[in-house]
Amino acid sequence: MLRRLPTAALLLALLLSGFLVPGDISFAPTDVVFPTGAALERARQVAAAWTGSESERIWHTGYYPFPPQQSWLPTDFGSNRGAFAAFLGNRVDLGTDFPAPGGRGTVSFPDGRTLSLPLTDPHSHYEQYLAQPRDTCTSEPCNTRITVTAVRLATRPQTTSRGTATVPVWEFDLAGVQEPYAIVAVDSQQPTDLRYTEDDENLPTGVSDISYAYRDFDNAWRLEGDLAPRNCAEALPGAVYETADVLVLVGRTTGRPGDCEARTARYTRFSFTRPLGDRVVLNLAGRPVYFPDGS
């Protein structure tokens, strides 16, 4: 006959085996901060609005890239000051034809699945962003120009909600520059009905929104986020509202205006009660938080 373990011993054994809580519990933080009051109500609304939404559907099954409009500058711009100044000043001439408009491009995800999307028009991008010289010169020398010598369809890796995908891009060859300038050739499917961040005046006192976060690859129980309160208040440890599928980050500050001229990025730690796993991380505007390191 099997001996029955005491209840406390059984729970401890399950916990240590990772059955109840995945991950190494030695990392479990003791500094978890939970939102309260108006901040808690706002976080609850954000989590509830995400669950079952079109944004959630696209996050799991569509093309939801970070950032939504990505471009790649030639690395040798750093050693070609004249060409870079011309590019920044939109002094870009056209010396080639564009591919015929229309067609579709394929986004390929790490799990082997693909998504076919309409290709954007590279001529429209050129006319809107490259061919209209700026009124003022922002980077010297101010009299240089650069010429597009070829435009073609290619692919690049891009961070998306479904991992690092291979996406179609338009590459623009530039005279005198070794590497092409590239832009994503398909539009993001993420909804645009919400601002990415929420204005401070729309948030409770002492609460600030967050757009960027960084994972702690040695600790699945924490994130580090960048706060940018308008009054430059000092950051406090961040609060987190958790559900089974969502983490809502609530930036906390002293609420007292700080020295904006001396301000640098205010990083704060967000700790949670169980490892992040595959839960989506949202800000108070209801949008997924961007991880610049691609994590």
Side-chain angles (χ1 to χ4, degrees):
M1 178 181 294
L2 293 176
R3 296 180 58 188
R4 178 176 296 177
L5 288 173
T7 300
L10 177 60
L11 288 175
L12 180 60
L14 290 173
L15 188 62
L16 290 176
S17 69
F19 183 80
L20 294 179
V21 180
D24 185 348
I25 66 168
S26 65
F27 287 116
T30 58
D31 57 349
V32 177
V33 178
F34 302 100
T36 59
L40 173 59
E41 181 59 28
R42 178 57 175 272
R44 282 174 173 164
Q45 292 172 0
V46 166
W50 174 266
T51 304
S53 67
E54 180 69 359
S55 291
E56 183 186 37
R57 184 190 69 78
I58 295 172
W59 179 266
H60 291 295
T61 65
Y63 173 51
Y64 205 123
F66 292 100
Q69 302 291 334
Q70 187 166 0
S71 61
W72 292 263
L73 295 179
T75 58
D76 50 324
F77 264 167
S79 59
N80 193 333
R81 185 174 177 181
F84 191 31
F87 182 87
L88 292 177
N90 293 353
R91 300 187 300 274
V92 182
D93 301 319
L94 184 61
T96 188
D97 295 327
F98 286 95
R104 301 182 72 83
T106 300
V107 178
S108 301
F109 297 98
D111 62 3
R113 298 184 182 185
T114 61
L115 185 64
S116 176
L117 296 171
L119 291 172
T120 58
D121 182 4
H123 194 181
S124 295
H125 178 85
Y126 169 79
E127 291 291 343
Q128 183 175 357
Y129 295 105
L130 303 179
Q132 304 297 325
R134 299 182 185 276
D135 294 334
T136 59
C137 177
T138 58
S139 179
E140 295 184 352
C142 298
N143 60 347
T144 56
R145 302 191 68 84
I146 195 169
T147 300
V148 176
T149 58
V151 180
R152 63 182 169 275
L153 191 63
T155 60
R156 301 258 178 135
Q158 185 186 33
T159 300
T160 75
S161 61
R162 298 166 64 181
T164 300
T166 300
V167 301
V169 300
W170 292 116
E171 289 188 342
F172 294 72
D173 285 344
L174 303 170
V177 181
Q178 293 182 357
E179 297 180 1
Y181 161 67
I183 59 166
V184 174
V186 290
D187 288 328
S188 166
Q189 293 182 305
Q190 58 184 269
T192 58
D193 56 334
L194 289 172
R195 294 187 300 275
Y196 196 80
T197 57
E198 195 66 35
D199 293 335
D200 283 355
E201 57 262 30
N202 296 328
L203 297 173
T205 301
V207 172
S208 180
D209 205 358
I210 178 172
S211 298
Y212 303 93
Y214 301 85
R215 298 180 192 268
D216 183 342
F217 289 100
D218 295 323
N219 190 330
W221 306 73
R222 290 193 175 104
L223 293 173
E224 190 175 70
D226 179 15
L227 273 63
R230 283 190 175 183
N231 64 359
C232 304
E234 292 298 323
L236 297 173
V240 176
Y241 177 77
E242 299 185 61
T243 72
D245 304 311
V246 170
L247 251 69
V248 181
L249 304 186
V250 180
R252 299 167 63 241
T253 73
T254 60
R256 298 186 297 274
D259 183 356
C260 290
E261 291 187 3
R263 181 192 181 278
T264 57
R266 284 171 163 73
Y267 294 103
T268 189
R269 174 176 290 174
F270 295 86
S271 301
F272 20 97
T273 59
R274 63 186 179 90
L276 177 60
D278 60 358
R279 291 183 289 176
V280 63
V281 181
L282 303 175
N283 63 17
L284 289 174
R287 284 201 179 279
V289 170
Y290 173 47
F291 291 83
D293 58 6
S295 61

